[in-house]
DNA sequence: CGAGCAACCTGCATGC
DNA sequence: TGCATGCAGGTTGCTC
């Protein structure tokens, strides 16, 4: 579920229901996430007020005043607001109860997600300190991509998914933005011209902001308990369409595994 | 240092 | 119906 637009949607969806509220209780049903959840977490957060909730890359940052929680949703995680009468399901691993009767509930079948407690300033934390720019900020530019790619022999598709280059470009949007930009995913990053990075940059921005907007649509029923985002399915050009006709030229799309991730492209429309 | 890839874990679709 | 297989939206941390 969580690419950057999904995490952003989650952030906006839960924010109004828990911001400036005091933690009454924390329940950890299964601490075996990507890293073990800090055993003292309930004690450490109880009585604290959530002062801010922000996002950096695909991490949510909960600020309880000199105590922070960095929350990553992994591949299958979701966070939503529930009421105390809502039944607990399999894979509901963590609950944070707030003083307005709202519960923040974490659900994650695969447990690739993480709940990391820290007292360090979050942006100095090892998990966040080396992250590349936010794709929708002014720090992210075509020039940045061009400069950083000059020595990189790696396929541009794998490279752009590296969060040290830019955060938030996951497998879906790497495939989509490369298609939109007409760039072959296997091109070595350093072989791509400055002009083409202009286009690629613009397509990354387009595709992500578009998706966030659509996430905004999902936002409405988010707290209502649906929890099933479906914003992306329609307008995808290549992702999940290997073998199907290219939406531009009609030629069957090629699907290959690149760096262990499904990669779909049109050999006719995307050039090296 | 870059590059490649195994690992973490469960659910689901597919094929026999 | 049962079982084996492969694949899934992410990221770290190991090897070479």
């Amino acid at each position: 579920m969580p690419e950057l637009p999904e995490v952003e949607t989650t952030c906006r969806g839960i924010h109004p229901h828990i911001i400036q509220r005091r933690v009454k209780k924390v329940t950890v049903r299964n601490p075996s996430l990507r890293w073990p959840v800090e055993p003292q977490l309930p004690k450490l957060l109880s009585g604290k007020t959530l002062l801010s909730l922000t996002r950096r890359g695909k991490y949510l940052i909960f600020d309880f005043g000199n105590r922070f929680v960095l929350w990553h949703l992994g591949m299958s995680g979701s966070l939503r607001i529930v009421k105390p009468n809502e039944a607990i399901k399999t894979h509901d691993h963590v609950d944070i109860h707030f003083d307005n009767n709202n519960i923040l509930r974490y659900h994650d079948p695969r447990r690739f997600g993480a709940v990391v407690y820290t007292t360090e300033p979050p942006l100095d934390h090892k998990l966040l300190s080396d992250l590349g720019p936010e794709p929708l900020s002014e720090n992210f530019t075509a020039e940045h991509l061009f400069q950083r790619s000059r020595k990189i022999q790696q396929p541009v598709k794998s490279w752009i998914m590296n969060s040290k280059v830019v955060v938030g470009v996951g497998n879906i949007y790497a495939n989509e933005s490369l298609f939109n930009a007409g760039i072959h995913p296997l091109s070595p990053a350093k072989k791509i011209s400055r002009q083409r990075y202009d286009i690629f940059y613009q397509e990354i921005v387009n595709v992500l902001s578009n998706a966030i907007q659509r996430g905004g649509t999902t936002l409405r029923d988010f707290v209502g308990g649906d929890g099933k985002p479906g914003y992306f399915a329609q307008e995808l050009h290549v992702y999940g369409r290997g073998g199907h006709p290219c939406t531009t030229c009609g030629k069957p799309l090629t699907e290959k595994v690149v760096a262990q991730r499904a990669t779909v492209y049109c050999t006719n429309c995307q050039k090296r």
Side-chain angles (χ1 to χ4, degrees):
Chain A
M1 295 157 197
E3 294 240 3
L4 184 140
E6 178 65 17
V7 179
E8 179 63 24
T9 300
T10 296
C11 189
R12 294 181 191 179
I14 64 180
H15 186 277
H17 303 274
I18 56 178
I19 195 70
Q20 298 300 335
R21 308 308 315 205
R22 225 166 58 98
V23 175
K24 273 203 312 204
K25 182 173 124 182
V26 177
T27 310
V28 181
R29 287 180 210 87
N30 186 351
S32 307
L33 301 182
R34 160 129 220 182
W35 299 286
V37 177
E38 160 62 55
Q40 297 303 312
L41 190 74
K43 215 178 266 183
L44 290 163
L45 294 188
S46 285
K48 303 296 168 199
T49 298
L50 179 64
L51 300 181
S52 76
L53 169 59
T54 52
R55 179 188 62 72
R56 177 75 176 96
K58 293 173 188 165
Y59 286 89
L60 292 169
I61 304 170
F62 293 76
D63 177 357
F64 293 96
N66 296 330
R67 302 174 175 206
F68 304 91
V69 173
L70 313 180
W71 209 314
H72 196 290
L73 306 183
M75 291 271 251
S76 58
S78 60
L79 270 173
R80 46 186 211 116
I81 303 294
V82 299
K83 291 299 180 183
N85 61 357
E86 178 135 344
I88 292 158
K89 301 201 194 83
T90 314
H91 309 309
D92 285 342
H93 303 311
V94 180
D95 280 357
I96 298 185
H97 300 244
F98 289 89
D99 63 0
N100 56 356
N101 245 10
N102 281 333
I103 300 173
L104 180 67
R105 179 161 293 171
Y106 184 57
H107 180 87
D108 186 1
R110 294 178 73 179
R111 289 189 276 124
F112 284 8
V115 181
V116 177
Y117 175 84
T118 181
T119 51
E120 196 177 6
L123 298 182
D124 294 345
H125 190 279
K126 190 182 161 212
L127 290 171
L128 303 186
S129 59
D130 290 338
L131 291 179
E134 287 290 326
L136 301 180
S137 76
E138 58 194 14
N139 298 329
F140 180 57
T141 61
E143 184 64 15
H144 167 81
L145 291 179
F146 180 70
Q147 291 301 341
R148 292 229 19 192
S149 62
R150 288 311 80 196
K151 291 180 177 169
I152 307 292
Q153 180 62 38
Q154 220 184 350
V156 63
K157 196 251 185 178
S158 324
W159 178 70
I160 202 65
M161 290 177 66
N162 180 347
S163 60
K164 292 181 181 176
V165 176
V166 56
V167 297
V169 183
N171 199 34
I172 292 176
Y173 295 118
N175 280 303
E176 292 298 313
S177 54
L178 283 165
F179 174 80
N180 291 349
I183 296 172
H184 197 293
L186 295 178
S187 292
K190 68 179 183 184
K191 300 278 186 177
I192 293 169
S193 68
R194 173 56 217 256
Q195 284 72 19
R196 300 184 84 201
Y197 272 115
D198 275 340
I199 300 170
F200 188 27
Y201 156 80
Q202 196 53 58
E203 289 301 338
I204 291 170
V205 172
N206 285 348
V207 103
L208 287 177
S209 34
N210 205 339
I212 287 177
Q213 228 163 342
R214 298 180 126 273
T217 314
T218 319
L219 201 62
R220 242 182 276 130
D221 37 88
F222 198 89
V223 172
D226 166 352
K228 296 264 182 190
Y231 60 78
F232 51 83
Q234 296 84 353
E235 296 180 18
L236 298 180
H237 290 108
V238 287
Y239 182 80
R241 295 194 64 245
H244 293 274
C246 170
T247 52
T248 302
C249 76
K251 186 176 178 189
L253 295 170
T254 305
E255 178 154 359
K256 256 188 199 170
V257 175
V258 178
Q260 306 170 155
R261 309 303 298 273
T263 303
V264 190
Y265 54 98
C266 176
T267 54
N268 193 36
C269 300
Q270 292 172 261
K271 303 297 185 194
R272 297 198 182 235

